Amino acid sequence: MATTDIQIQILQTGTITVRPSLYTQPHTRSPLLRLLHILTDRQWRSPSLPVYTFLITHPTEGRILFDTGMSPSCNGPGYFAWWFPAIKFMSRLSITPDQSIGTQLLERGIGPGDLTAVVLSHLHHDHSGGLSDVAGAPVLMSKEHWEAFQSPTAATLSGAAPNHWPRDFAPDFLQATGGPVGPFEKSYPVTADGRVVAVETPGHMRGHVSLVVFGDEATTYFLTGDATYDLESLDAEGTDGANDDPVGAVETVRKIKQLARERPLVVLPSHDLGSRQRLEEKIAYKPSNTGF
Ligand SMILES: [Zn+2]
């Protein structure tokens, strides 16, 4: 039976310029040494990184938003905790008010009540900064990630801005009731028909998830969140500088590569300038054998 197409749109919420050491470091380097490298880095990486969110329109189950992007308030005084200036040191943030996720959704006639679900890959400020714009919509994330970020102090130290989450923010948890997806042992259905599921992609952060969207015909989309920053890093099995489990991060990127060997996979990282073209032209990623 032919399936009706699922649409995916990229909505960009500003850009981030990062230290090269935040972008990538060897996976053999410990989290503490990684942080030291970032804090002593004086360079800025060019080009700046886009901050993408993804609006998925399912033919019968409505609209799902993957991540909420950065907040236009992020450069305002007091947005980040004064006692933890590291985010300002390691990144430069740029976003205009009309790039907020709330404004972009409203431009399309979509309010929070029109969203079936908001799925968060993780709570870093550039993925959860628009949460207050979609307050009222069901928010889904992994229980493991929520528990790691539940304390405001721990969340702040990990790169979130918990003071700007909606009042009494209480996400729902993804449930592992789906079967395996390639090398991912289990999946967390987001839609009842199983065409949108989350899979565990830890490494960048505990409990981080990516989203798999089974499109029409033979195309499967893999929305990585921050499991990788771009296809070059993915192919080289590089790890980003800020992750808290570099060895786990390598295991995760190997699984994504394995899935791409098993089926045509359009890989869409949140900070990859190539994601737009890959989405529009349905360009599947063909892994090299690096690391194997
Ligand atoms: Zn992140």
Side-chain angles (χ1 to χ4, degrees), residues 58 119 165 236:
H58 186 288
V119 182
W165 297 343

Side-chain angles (χ1 to χ4, degrees), residues 220-289:
T220 303
Y221 301 90
F222 197 97
L223 284 51
T224 70
D226 282 355
T228 187
Y229 284 162
D230 61 30
L231 241 58
E232 199 175 294
S233 301
L234 172 64
D235 207 54
E237 300 175 6
T239 53
D240 73 280
N243 76 57
D244 64 0
D245 175 13
V247 175
V250 172
E251 285 173 20
T252 285
V253 293
R254 286 183 176 166
K255 283 185 179 178
I256 300 171
K257 291 175 76 171
Q258 181 57 34
L259 185 60
R261 290 189 182 92
E262 296 177 13
R263 60 169 73 224
L265 197 66
V266 178
V267 179
L268 304 172
S270 300
H271 299 294
D272 185 347
L273 281 165
S275 287
R276 274 189 195 281
Q277 186 186 7
R278 230 174 282 132
L279 172 62
E280 281 166 19
E281 300 178 17
K282 296 185 179 179
I283 301 170
Y285 160 57
K286 294 186 174 52
S288 71
N289 287 322

Side-chain angles (χ1 to χ4, degrees), residues 106-229:
L106 283 177
E107 283 170 359
R108 291 163 173 79
I110 302 167
D114 301 312
L115 295 170
T116 305
V118 175
V119 182
L120 290 187
S121 59
H122 63 309
L123 282 161
H124 276 166
H125 78 90
D126 54 323
H127 295 256
S128 66
L131 272 177
S132 57
D133 287 8
V134 295
V139 177
L140 289 164
M141 72 179 72
S142 82
K143 187 166 187 278
E144 186 183 3
H145 188 68
W146 175 242
E147 287 175 351
F149 275 60
Q150 210 168 7
S151 136
T153 305
T156 300
L157 287 170
S158 294
N163 290 344
H164 300 273
W165 297 343
R167 191 181 295 271
D168 301 324
F169 176 54
D172 296 319
F173 300 128
L174 293 156
Q175 302 293 329
T177 56
V181 177
F184 296 93
E185 297 83 4
K186 52 191 174 182
S187 61
Y188 299 72
V190 175
T191 57
D193 67 357
R195 292 181 68 192
V196 181
V197 302
V199 293
E200 296 176 10
T201 48
H204 177 69
M205 281 290 136
R206 259 183 65 195
H208 182 284
V209 298
S210 300
L211 211 60
V212 182
V213 179
F214 297 97
D216 62 331
E217 301 152 11
T219 308
T220 303
Y221 301 90
F222 197 97
L223 284 51
T224 70
D226 282 355
T228 187
Y229 284 162

